[in-house]
Amino acid sequence: MVAPLAPYARRLVPYARRLRPLYPRPGRTGWRRWAPSWRQWIGAVLSAFALLGTFLVTAYALTDIPSNLNSYATQQDNVYFWSDGTPMARTGWVQRQAMPLKDIPADVRWAVLAAENETFYTDPGISVTGITRALYRTVGEGDTEGGSTITQQYVKNVYLSQNQTVSRKFTEAMIALKLDNKMSKDQILEGYLNTSWFGRGSYGIQRAAQAYYGKDVSKLNASEAAMLAGLLKGAGLYDPTLGKANHHRAVERWSWILDRMVKTGKLSPRERAEYKTFPEPLKSNPLYNTGTQSDYLVELASQYAKKVGHLTDKQFDLGGYQIYTTFDRRREQALTDAVTKARKQAGRTDPATAKNGHYGAASVAADGRILAVYGGPDHRTQGYNESNASTVPSGTAFLPFVYAAGLEHGVHKTRGGPATPVTPDTVYDGDDGVPVMTPEGPYWDRSGKKVAAHNEGRKSYGKITLRQALAQSVNTPFMQLGMDTGLDKVRQTAEASGLLSSSMGPQVPALALGTSTPSAIRMAGGYATFAAEGRHTEPYSVSRITRNGAPVALTTPRPTRAVGAQVAENVEEALTDSFRTAHPAAAAGSPTAAGKAGTADKDTASWYVGTADSVSTAVVVYRMDLTKSLEPLPLQGLAGTSADDVPYNLWAAAMGLG
């Protein structure tokens, strides 16, 4: 076989020798010997193009369009369960709905194309300059950048992962080329509009229209379409309801998209002139909010699930998760019914006062499980959860933490001297108006006034033990105890018991009387620490998460020692005395109940916090006109009277004692 070909091979030898590069170049001197000739340069460039072309043709031939869509194209519900395993709520079941392209207005389509890919109907499915720019940033600067056509974005949405890597971008481009040859442009655009993420848990233009404007996509005008199209660049940055910076970016992009529509001839200058005012979207997703208490529970559980499950908003919005919460259906219903009844009664008695009334409540088990919360009257119209808001002072409900700090750390009568132990029987001065003392003498405030402690009603009690002082809510001993123990130790004990450092008041004598502003959840968790023999477990709302049956690893809270077991027992005993003194009839039927009322300075908040059967509940009632400021207003009787104490009544109903 070889012999017949030999003559032909001999004829090719001279040409092959001429093609063979002679390097270093003969007949040249100096640096010219090492400089490639123009033939060599051309040969190298042509060879590179030939190799690249061969590689791309081979890669294109070997790349298949995947037969299975990925999870981004098959978003599912997230299902929430009560603590007994029964379904509580669903989110996401209306968050994706495919719409035929013919039912999507032309203005909506052209707004998206103006924002993302104006050459969509003429390009081959990829953008060479965009890919080059993205690869340069990915490889050269360790970053990633878009530059994708709508076809490429659609491929990423339905076939590939969201990982920003060079290999994924290359695969994306190959599939996009094939898809562009297989599907019509209208089919690709329809798929893209139905699978893109717009934020607020919404996939697809139809659900985005409902989530942001409460209407079907067919009802959108060009201005609203431009706002939604802007979200495709990143809803976390361009949802105008998420902050001032977001709003500014959204307005700029909205205006730019409308101008682009004019430039591409899809919007006339006259029509553009009609859209001068930014189309503000709804403040929250109406598909998510039902207005019921379960919305507050879903909000708490979803935030916690993402935190402990290490899930991004986008991952969580894809759905498929089963979230098993700690919420007790029976306790939640009892708490909701009680607060709803109190609200209605207040509205009938004094509508003007009740108008600005707020009620926050939470029940937390000794092991940290959040069992029930009351977040507000209507989740659709209220922008925050009252059970989780650090809004008003804790007042004298804070005294148990001062008591615990004194028992735990002792007191210092001399500066730098040894600590003297404190017991429940340690006696303090309970008279009204006694000056607050330091080891060096009276405490003077910054205005040059001597600070004195006062009891409610300016009542004096004489010499009184700390246990009696807590049971009777006598202020003056605890203001001095806080100074003797050290306000830093008081703060340390309160935070170890569960109160957040961000809610703690200034480190001045008044700290002991509750200038801190803990939420109802945190206050309930703090008292639960005493019921748990001094061990604190961070409040949590989710016990288990699965995704399509597979468990999701969680970082679950573990108990930590806040105060000694004996200290916790002493606090519980004093709180039991407080409960029995104030509510002897209820105490007869509930020997394990312990708790106390709390009143804030200037009558701006009224609390009741207590425990029974290893469950702690905190209730707070306050007034605030949110249209004017965040300053609490005097209660003006909203919290009831000593004979008909509203926070206590709500607490008793939540604990099953009402």
Side-chain angles (χ1 to χ4, degrees), residues 80-83 88 296-306 308 323-328 368-371 373 521 538-545 554 557:
Y80 296 78
F81 297 89
W82 293 101
S83 59
M88 181 182 78
Y296 293 104
L297 306 183
V298 166
E299 182 182 58
L300 279 174
S302 62
Q303 290 173 350
Y304 187 79
K306 286 182 280 190
V308 300
I323 299 98
Y324 296 86
T325 75
T326 60
F327 303 124
D328 184 294
R369 290 174 295 127
I370 302 176
L371 302 178
V373 302
I521 290 176
E538 280 290 285
Y540 65 99
S541 56
V542 176
S543 59
R544 183 165 63 97
I545 303 176
L554 303 183

Side-chain angles (χ1 to χ4, degrees), residues 76 81 319-324 544-552:
Q76 305 171 65
F81 297 89
Y321 293 96
Q322 297 80 46
I323 299 98
Y324 296 86
R544 183 165 63 97
I545 303 176
T546 60
R547 189 167 197 271
N548 297 327
V552 175

Side-chain angles (χ1 to χ4, degrees), residues 7 24 30 73 135 191 196 219 264 268 317 374-375 491 499-500 517 598 629:
L135 289 175
S196 294
K219 305 296 184 182
T264 57
S268 70
D317 285 345
Y374 181 83
R491 181 184 181 118
L499 273 60
L500 297 177
T517 57
S629 74

Side-chain angles (χ1 to χ4, degrees), residues 7-251:
Y8 299 101
R10 282 194 293 271
R11 293 176 187 175
L12 294 173
V13 168
Y15 297 101
R17 285 174 178 169
R18 291 178 63 184
L19 291 173
R20 186 182 65 186
L22 297 176
Y23 200 77
R25 296 167 62 194
R28 299 289 189 274
T29 60
W31 62 271
R32 291 181 176 82
R33 294 186 64 218
W34 304 96
S37 68
W38 64 269
R39 290 189 182 88
Q40 290 171 331
W41 275 114
I42 292 174
V45 170
L46 292 177
S47 297
F49 274 112
L51 289 173
L52 178 61
T54 302
F55 172 74
L56 292 176
V57 169
T58 303
Y60 180 84
L62 295 177
T63 299
D64 293 322
I65 298 175
S67 58
N68 296 322
L69 302 181
N70 68 16
S71 59
Y72 284 80
T74 55
Q75 183 199 9
Q76 305 171 65
D77 304 355
N78 284 331
V79 185
Y80 296 78
F81 297 89
W82 293 101
S83 59
D84 62 5
T86 57
M88 181 182 78
R90 289 174 178 266
T91 61
W93 68 95
V94 290
Q95 300 303 83
R96 184 202 294 274
Q97 181 182 36
M99 292 291 289
L101 192 65
K102 64 181 179 61
D103 293 335
I104 300 175
D107 281 343
V108 176
R109 287 179 263 161
W110 291 118
V112 170
L113 294 178
E116 295 293 306
N117 185 189
E118 67 179 60
T119 62
F120 170 72
Y121 278 103
T122 57
D123 65 40
I126 64 171
S127 168
V128 176
T129 56
I131 292 174
T132 303
R133 185 170 62 251
L135 289 175
Y136 170 74
R137 286 184 60 83
T138 301
V139 177
E141 301 183 19
D143 196 2
T144 57
E145 185 175 286
S148 301
T149 64
I150 278 179
T151 306
Q152 289 174 260
Q153 293 180 52
Y154 175 61
V155 167
K156 180 181 67 174
N157 287 347
V158 300
Y159 295 120
L160 303 176
S161 72
Q162 304 297 298
N163 297 330
Q164 298 280 8
T165 62
V166 174
S167 62
R168 199 228 69 200
K169 288 179 182 295
F170 181 77
T171 305
E172 172 191 294
M174 291 296 103
I175 296 176
L177 283 171
K178 279 205 165 181
L179 201 67
D180 195 71
N181 289 325
K182 181 179 179 181
M183 297 174 64
S184 71
K185 288 289 188 178
D186 281 351
Q187 287 176 316
I188 294 172
L189 181 59
E190 178 181 302
Y192 173 75
L193 291 173
N194 284 315
T195 57
S196 294
W197 187 61
F198 288 85
R200 294 194 179 184
S202 299
Y203 281 80
I205 190 67
Q206 166 71 347
R207 289 316 183 196
Q210 294 176 336
Y212 287 91
Y213 289 108
K215 62 176 72 173
D216 287 341
V217 65
S218 62
K219 305 296 184 182
L220 294 177
N221 60 35
S223 179
E224 294 163 337
M227 199 292 290
L228 292 179
L231 297 171
L232 292 167
K233 193 173 179 67
L237 292 173
Y238 291 91
D239 182 343
T241 64
L242 298 181
K244 290 183 178 179
N246 270 44
H247 193 277
H248 179 72
R249 282 190 291 265
V251 172

